Amino acid sequence: MNDTQEIIRQLGGGDGALDGIVVLDLSRVLAGPYAAQILADMGATVIKIENPNDPDVSRGFPPYLTASGAVEGDEGVEDADTEEFSGYYGQYNRGKLGLTIDLSGEQGKKVLKDLVAKADVLLENFRPGTMEKLGVGYEVLKEINPALVYTAISGYGHTGSRSRRPAFDSTAQAAGGLWSMNGYPGTAPVRVGTTIGDLSAALFAVIGTLAAIRHVERGGVGQKVDIAQVDSIIALTETAVVDYTVNGKVAEPAGNEHAWVRPYGLFDCADGQVFFAGYTDKLWRVTCELFGTPEAAEDPEIDTMRKRFDEEVYDRKVKPLIDSWFQGRTQAELEELAGDVVPLTALRTVAGVVEDPGTAERDMIVEADYGDLGRLRMFGQPIKLSETPAETERTANRLGEHTDRVLSVVAGYSPEEIAVLKKSRTV
């Protein structure tokens, strides 16, 4: 058993698809931590590195698990918050080892470099130029480890005239065009409800990192993976770009309507709303038969997909027909009737999703045991691997929780060397 495998065993992990990959996670808040968490779920040994004097700010984000007693890590490092722990932090940092390094001094830089020499991936989401100012940018680190995959997530990317600009999720939604498309016609655009700029950047970062790891496996040479939130948002605008470049059409808010097919949207029912998509000719015929109006499929005004998309025809004939089908029926009744035949699903709240049996069947709500703090229920891993399933029911690290273990096993430091680093407050 090698050192990396021992660390995973000590965490209670198993043989994941990325077993043997060591990731140094210097990122904060969401985009970087989520990318690293996905890698951890897949079996990588992820080491969360924080500044002991300025830890990840998301440790203070709600909601909180609370307990009355102090909580200590296995290296005797007391958590900064002894009576509460952020569920937000826990969801995006599960399964990681915790290490603190003050990179402002030469000792801290040396510790990071010693870890880089043994690592496969370094992931950061600082503003471009920050790591260079600290003296540990990609050009420096690749000299130490030529096989290093250096994944950097930022607002505008590491190239271009805007690269140094500060950015948040909403920056990306605004600059990438998505914000301008979202909402209802005739009203001000609406921000997408989740931090999709961060979340999409995290997913592209994972894809890029895995591609770069594959390249290392083939030739032994690492590279920089440059991910911008704005780029990620642009890639999510679907047909908006080609609609503009081909037809000169600028995407605008369309509410719950689809850009070119109907019916495809939300419809009222007895106890809420359902999403229904019966826009193809085949689906339309099947739906008409299912709801006892087969003659509607033969109506010459609405018997083709193109005819049903016409706004006047849709409002006059299609929408009233659908309303007659759904009114008086509950979400459950409609879902049962549609079954495996027609795309129809209830509009669920988050509470409904968490408690839905279908969610449980896909292991998409998992639990981690935080002892006196209680159990944290959080979303699981949507990537399902048949031979090496993800490991998700793990806790997130306390601040500096595994400092001794990481420095000893990964960097090869002696207890005496670690004691010196602690005395100087480098770690």
Side-chain angles (χ1 to χ4, degrees), residues 34-36 38-39 151 201-211 383:
Y34 186 34
I38 294 172
L39 298 175
T151 301
L203 300 180
F204 286 121
V206 171
I207 295 168
T209 298
L210 294 177
I383 301 171

Side-chain angles (χ1 to χ4, degrees), residues 59-349:
R59 286 185 177 276
F61 289 0
Y64 307 106
L65 298 176
T66 58
S68 58
V71 179
E72 293 190 349
D74 64 357
E75 307 296 348
V77 180
E78 188 171 335
D79 189 13
D81 292 319
T82 57
E83 296 186 350
E84 64 181 22
F85 192 78
S86 167
Y88 182 103
Y89 182 87
Q91 179 166 257
Y92 291 109
N93 292 277
R94 64 186 179 218
K96 301 179 185 179
L97 294 161
L99 169 66
T100 59
I101 306 177
D102 184 351
L103 293 173
S104 63
E106 291 305 314
Q107 280 186 310
K109 293 177 178 59
K110 182 181 183 306
V111 173
L112 179 63
K113 290 176 181 178
D114 288 342
L115 291 171
V116 165
K118 302 292 182 65
D120 299 288
V121 177
L122 183 144
L123 194 154
E124 54 99 344
N125 63 348
F126 298 116
R127 195 187 306 189
T130 300
M131 291 287 281
E132 286 73 16
K133 286 181 181 178
L134 289 170
V136 286
Y138 174 61
E139 296 301 321
V140 171
L141 298 182
K142 75 175 184 178
E143 294 300 318
I144 298 169
N145 182 355
L148 180 70
V149 173
Y150 184 106
T151 301
I153 304 173
S154 60
Y156 290 91
H158 277 229
T159 62
S161 62
R162 299 174 182 172
S163 64
R164 299 297 179 95
R165 291 186 181 182
F168 291 102
D169 168 78
S170 290
T171 307
Q173 291 198 35
L178 187 61
W179 201 330
S180 73
M181 300 165 53
N182 198 51
Y184 286 90
T187 63
V190 178
R191 173 187 170 274
V192 174
T194 64
T195 50
I196 196 168
D198 285 316
L199 298 172
S200 59
L203 300 180
F204 286 121
V206 171
I207 295 168
T209 298
L210 294 177
I213 290 173
R214 176 66 176 130
H215 181 70
V216 172
E217 291 173 345
R218 289 189 298 180
V221 179
Q223 61 187 298
K224 186 176 187 178
V225 179
D226 177 8
I227 303 294
Q229 290 172 295
V230 174
D231 296 349
S232 301
I233 287 294
I234 293 172
L236 296 185
T237 56
E238 199 182 4
T239 62
V241 170
V242 292
D243 274 347
Y244 174 72
T245 59
V246 174
N247 298 318
K249 180 181 177 182
V250 178
E252 296 178 347
N256 291 321
E257 295 296 323
H258 196 279
W260 64 85
V261 295
R262 294 190 183 111
Y264 188 102
L266 284 182
F267 297 88
D268 293 331
C269 65
D271 61 350
Q273 293 177 304
V274 294
F275 165 71
F276 164 61
Y279 65 91
T280 70
D281 292 342
K282 179 179 179 180
L283 282 174
W284 181 248
R285 285 194 301 271
V286 169
T287 307
C288 288
E289 293 172 3
L290 196 66
F291 284 94
T293 56
E295 68 280 0
E298 306 302 326
D299 186 329
E301 280 196 284
I302 56 174
D303 61 352
T304 69
M305 186 169 64
R306 180 169 290 189
K307 291 177 183 177
R308 289 189 296 276
F309 184 72
D310 181 86
E311 188 170 358
E312 188 275 330
V313 173
Y314 179 79
D315 290 341
R316 178 167 53 84
K317 301 204 73 169
V318 179
K319 180 64 164 54
L321 178 60
I322 296 171
D323 288 341
S324 73
W325 294 340
F326 294 173
Q327 288 172 359
R329 288 185 167 102
T330 65
Q331 291 178 329
E333 288 171 341
L334 288 168
E335 284 192 321
E336 179 67 23
L337 182 62
D340 298 335
V341 179
V342 175
L344 187 154
T345 188
L347 179 65
R348 293 182 175 86
T349 65

